[in-house]
Amino acid sequence: MSVYEDLIALQGKDDAKGICRYGLVVLNTPLGPLLPFLKNIWKRCSENGITICADGGANRLHDALEEYERELYIPDLICGDLDSARDEVLQYYKSKGSQIVCLEDQSYTDFTKAVMYLHKQEKGTHLKLTGLIAFNAFMGRIDQIFGCLNSLYEAAKYTNPSLPVYLMTEESLTWLLLPGEHVISTTSGVEEGHCGLIPLGEPVSSVTTTGLVWNLNSDRLSFGHLISVCNLLDHTADKVTVVTSHPLIWTMEHNLNILLISQQI
């Protein structure tokens, strides 16, 4: 059984010692309103986790920051085929200590390559992550968005099953539920109402839930049939449970303003 308390954890309340063991991945999309959140969580993740820019994500991070503050946000790793990251940006971060790794395999997105490389580095080291968060995955072209969703499935092949990979936007947090039972805490105060269960890639023969306004009971989900979108959290419950027969995308709405405020408490 997998238990998720990640909106609580993102407020800086990761474990009993207050350690935030997340990896951060900056993708090649505008950071926009997520920048203040990224700044708030960066130091803790850099100290106890890892910070990564996937290729052109280095440009996005560099250009989003004022010159005086850039040295405060130096990624541990920049990787990908490096066809998007500008030379002057790579040189700047290299001079500040970032590791630059060119991964030329065109069969994978830069996001997937970052996850694969991280998995190799994690083996045999002290780095034990709680989760991996990719920023602003759902912007840009629709093929890029599907590429990010596919990276969740690819990541499941290369990472520990207990290491969730999250796609974070201004409005939602999305991740892949593997076959089995999952418990998702909804007590952080950051959750908004909407959520969804999306059978991307293959039909899901059986899904059972609790904690939703419209629960599923051994229902079959598939495109062209039933998918659970625009569902709502039942705010009389303190958690959502999902039992799924096949991999299933879970997405839930959050309030970024409340999340930012709660980080300061």
Side-chain angles (χ1 to χ4, degrees):
M1 180 174 67
S2 299
V3 179
Y4 305 91
E5 295 182 331
D6 295 281
L7 283 174
I8 296 174
L10 292 179
Q11 297 172 68
K13 306 164 187 175
D14 189 292
D15 59 20
K17 297 179 181 179
I19 297 174
C20 185
R21 301 187 187 277
Y22 279 80
L24 304 184
V25 182
V26 180
L27 302 176
N28 190 13
T29 56
L31 287 166
L34 284 175
L35 182 61
F37 171 78
L38 177 70
K39 289 180 178 180
N40 286 348
I41 201 172
W42 184 278
K43 182 178 180 181
R44 288 180 287 121
C45 290
S46 183
E47 290 175 348
N48 302 295
I50 190 169
T51 54
I52 303 170
C53 290
D55 197 357
N59 298 339
R60 301 293 184 174
L61 178 65
H62 178 276
D63 296 349
L65 298 168
E66 299 293 339
E67 185 174 358
Y68 73 88
E69 62 182 349
R70 284 186 186 134
E71 289 195 17
L72 300 175
Y73 305 97
I74 304 299
D76 298 308
L77 172 67
I78 300 172
C79 65
D81 59 11
L82 305 183
D83 64 340
S84 299
R86 302 194 305 271
D87 289 341
E88 67 270 20
V89 171
L90 293 176
Q91 288 303 315
Y92 171 79
Y93 283 125
K94 184 177 181 179
S95 73
K96 300 299 181 181
S98 297
Q99 182 184 10
I100 313 294
V101 179
C102 183
L103 304 170
E104 295 183 348
D105 191 338
Q106 296 302 306
S107 297
Y108 302 99
T109 65
D110 290 321
F111 178 23
T112 298
K113 284 185 273 190
V115 173
M116 294 167 64
Y117 186 81
L118 176 61
H119 175 60
K120 290 179 181 179
Q121 295 299 104
E122 190 178 20
K123 285 185 175 181
T125 71
H126 69 283
L127 182 63
K128 302 299 178 186
L129 297 176
T130 305
L132 193 66
I133 309 167
F135 281 85
N136 252 12
F138 300 143
M139 292 189 69
R141 303 191 316 267
I142 188 68
D143 60 312
Q144 292 175 318
I145 294 171
F146 273 104
C148 287
L149 289 168
N150 185 62
S151 290
L152 296 182
Y153 289 80
E154 293 281 3
K157 302 175 186 177
Y158 299 105
T159 61
N160 187 318
S162 64
L163 176 68
V165 179
Y166 301 99
L167 306 180
M168 188 171 190
T169 71
E170 179 185 356
E171 296 181 341
S172 65
L173 194 67
T174 302
W175 67 96
L176 182 68
L177 304 180
L178 295 174
E181 183 178 359
H182 304 269
V183 178
I184 302 162
S185 173
T186 56
T187 60
S188 74
V190 178
E191 300 85 6
E192 294 281 79
H194 290 95
C195 59
L197 292 155
I198 304 169
L200 191 64
E202 65 178 325
V204 176
S205 59
S206 178
V207 184
T208 298
T209 67
T210 66
L212 304 179
V213 172
W214 296 287
N215 281 306
L216 302 166
N217 185 14
S218 299
D219 286 288
R220 181 179 187 272
L221 299 183
S222 68
F223 278 87
H225 181 58
L226 172 67
I227 64 173
S228 181
V229 295
C230 301
N231 210 325
L232 293 169
L233 300 175
D234 179 354
H235 286 297
T236 66
D238 62 358
K239 63 182 178 292
V240 171
T241 68
V242 181
V243 180
T244 178
S245 61
H246 292 77
L248 185 63
I249 295 287
W250 164 261
T251 185
M252 60 190 299
E253 187 180 17
H254 64 75
N255 187 311
L256 183 61
N257 289 329
I258 295 176
L259 181 57
L260 287 169
I261 292 169
S262 66
Q263 284 184 314
Q264 309 305 317
I265 297 175

